[in-house]
Amino acid sequence: MTIKFIYYYIIPILTTVLYYLVHYIKIMSSKTFKYLRREGASSRYCCVPSCKMSSRFNSVISFHSFPLNKETRKTWLQNIRREDYKVSPNTRVCSRHFRTDDFIPQSTPNARRLLKKGAVPTLFTRNISNTSAPKRTGLWKRRRHVPSPLEQDPVPTGFQQHQEHDYCSSLVQDHLEVDETEVLRKEVERLKRQVAELSVLQRFCLGRFAASDDDIRFYTRFATYNHLMAFWRLIEPASHNMVRLTRVRTATVSEAGASGSTSWQSMQPIDEFFLFMVHLSVGLTERDLAHRFNIHQSAVSPIITSWANFLYAILGSVRIWMSEEVVKAHMPKKFQDYPDTHVVIDCIELRCKTPTSLLLQGEESHSTYKGLIGMAPHGAVTFVSSVYAGSVSDKELLKQSGIVSLLKPEMAIMVNKGFFIDNCVLCKVYRPCCLLKKEQMPAEEVRETQSIARLRVHIERLVGRVKQHKLLDTVIPLCDTRTINQLYTVACLLINYQNGPLLKAWAND
């Protein structure tokens, strides 16, 4: 019975246990072999006792050969406690046994690490496993352990005692040189600046075109970037007190917790001003501006309206009507035949799109508006009226504009031949002669008409500068009809800031 029990129960159990034990030993031996194996003959190892550092497992640690100087080599052998050790050309000591100041500073992060002349290894993990341990006492007779003199040997500062070199510890970071860290910090700063520059180039903003005066002239009609920034410095202090139309609406949406597109109030004020100038100067639509400035289309109209009202109030508060003394002081030589001319006036016609009826869908329908602009003889804008319906006559426009009250009897104005306003003003009127019912114009009137026409070319050039704002030179869209008066007035008043004199010769007069 006993033999059968052993044969059928004990032997199978022992066989199974033995099988798993052998399998476990094979697995453990294979892991150990993979960890300690060498790959190629170029792998380097540290010769310091108890140091198992290898270039196979750590590419950050550097390995240094023994110096040729006999005294220095002797010091190395004494410090690593291998005085009778035979040094070969392949014998190495890893960088973990040297202090940071023992190395020559690296010019680049990937440069080879070199030791200074006379450097010796001083950082070690002392192996005290062979020292005699104190006798073990009984459980009830334990006493305080007194360390031996060898155990009292302090570990050098800046070195941590490790078993099998913990590569995940911060020891490698402690050995990074200061110069290498400084190089990396500068590289990070350079990359940050490069990313910032690329982000500016990708965004459609004023900073993107600051280096090109041609682009500034195209998008804002200012002559140069310096002209634009000089004007911005004039209006910037007052821009902080702007009344924005969507402030209440934005606050309501944020309180409700709605998550929508980017709010236009997140834009910088100077970029909002740039958006307004692009719309006025180039005539881009709201959809186009929304794509360019990366904002929602519904946010474009409030920006344009807010800045139109703001600039209308700021520029309109500046007195542009000049006194007789100032006008005469800047009188060009071309006006020597008409020295009492105080202002040259003309009309500007605008076209605005109007909503069509259901019966006329698909057909273009637009109405016209008229505005009066006045220019001093030297080319500065000195008067801008409001806009009126296009059906108003030139004479009625002059009366309603308010310029009549500014004219004095000793002044003179120069008008186009359609302005029959002699009985409306008290001053003298210079106007090209008309034939009316005459068959032929006298020679004197012909010469006067030609001379006045040559001078009136300059007011036409000024009107051309106003019409360079493409929004006013095309059919103005419906979204701008509410602020057509502000847009027209701002475009006229900006002429005094955007350009130089009408003629280069006038700059020296």
Side-chain angles (χ1 to χ4, degrees), residues 112-127:
R112 182 182 177 186
R113 300 181 69 186
L114 301 176
L115 291 171
K116 295 180 179 178
K117 186 176 181 181
V120 295
T122 56
L123 306 179
F124 303 97
T125 302
R126 301 304 183 187
N127 187 0

Side-chain angles (χ1 to χ4, degrees), residues 141-202:
K141 296 181 180 180
R142 287 183 180 175
R143 59 183 178 179
R144 187 174 183 182
H145 173 65
V146 180
S148 63
L150 185 58
E151 293 176 336
Q152 292 179 356
D153 188 11
V155 180
T157 306
F159 188 86
Q160 299 177 356
Q161 184 173 354
H162 294 280
Q163 189 70 19
E164 297 293 339
H165 295 307
D166 186 6
Y167 303 118
C168 296
S169 66
S170 61
L171 182 61
V172 177
Q173 297 180 3
D174 294 339
H175 284 280
L176 288 176
E177 296 187 7
V178 178
D179 292 343
E180 183 178 355
T181 306
E182 183 67 19
V183 171
L184 293 176
R185 187 183 63 82
K186 292 181 179 180
E187 181 68 15
V188 171
E189 293 179 355
R190 185 186 68 82
L191 292 176
K192 286 183 178 180
R193 290 194 299 269
Q194 186 176 359
V195 170
E197 292 175 359
L198 290 176
S199 63
V200 170
L201 292 177
Q202 291 178 354

Side-chain angles (χ1 to χ4, degrees), residues 319-328 330 342-343 375-383 406 408 411 496:
R319 181 180 176 86
I320 59 175
W321 184 260
M322 298 181 179
S323 62
E324 297 179 66
E325 294 77 11
V326 175
V327 172
K328 290 181 180 180
H330 296 85
H342 192 82
V343 63
M375 179 193 78
H378 62 278
V381 177
T382 58
F383 183 81
L406 300 175
K408 298 180 181 179
M411 298 179 180
N496 291 336

Side-chain angles (χ1 to χ4, degrees), residues 369-425:
Y369 293 90
K370 268 187 179 181
L372 188 69
I373 186 171
M375 179 193 78
H378 62 278
V381 177
T382 58
F383 183 81
V384 179
S385 71
S386 301
V387 293
Y388 299 90
S391 57
V392 66
S393 63
D394 295 341
K395 184 176 181 179
E396 187 65 23
L397 177 60
L398 182 74
K399 292 180 180 179
Q400 297 185 15
S401 64
I403 193 174
V404 177
S405 60
L406 300 175
L407 299 174
K408 298 180 181 179
E410 58 272 15
M411 298 179 180
I413 62 173
M414 188 172 291
V415 297
N416 197 6
K417 59 183 179 181
F419 281 82
F420 298 102
I421 56 172
D422 299 77
N423 57 346
C424 298
V425 296

Side-chain angles (χ1 to χ4, degrees), residues 201-264:
L201 292 177
Q202 291 178 354
R203 291 191 302 116
F204 193 90
C205 59
L206 181 60
R208 178 177 175 180
F209 308 102
S212 175
D213 289 339
D214 292 336
D215 291 335
I216 293 296
R217 190 179 303 109
F218 176 77
Y219 285 112
T220 66
R221 299 305 169 190
F222 279 88
T224 63
Y225 177 75
N226 293 332
H227 283 78
L228 176 62
M229 294 309 298
F231 178 76
W232 171 251
R233 286 190 291 270
L234 293 176
I235 65 173
E236 182 184 12
S239 65
H240 301 293
N241 300 323
M242 281 182 59
V243 178
R244 304 182 184 275
L245 298 181
T246 60
R247 178 176 298 174
V248 177
R249 178 184 176 186
T250 304
T252 305
V253 173
S254 61
E255 290 174 2
S259 58
S261 60
T262 305
S263 174
W264 66 273

Side-chain angles (χ1 to χ4, degrees), residues 99-138:
R99 298 182 183 275
T100 306
D101 53 2
D102 290 337
F103 295 93
I104 298 175
Q106 294 174 281
S107 58
T108 59
N110 297 326
R112 182 182 177 186
R113 300 181 69 186
L114 301 176
L115 291 171
K116 295 180 179 178
K117 186 176 181 181
V120 295
T122 56
L123 306 179
F124 303 97
T125 302
R126 301 304 183 187
N127 187 0
I128 58 175
S129 60
N130 295 329
T131 59
S132 58
K135 296 181 179 181
R136 184 164 183 168
T137 60

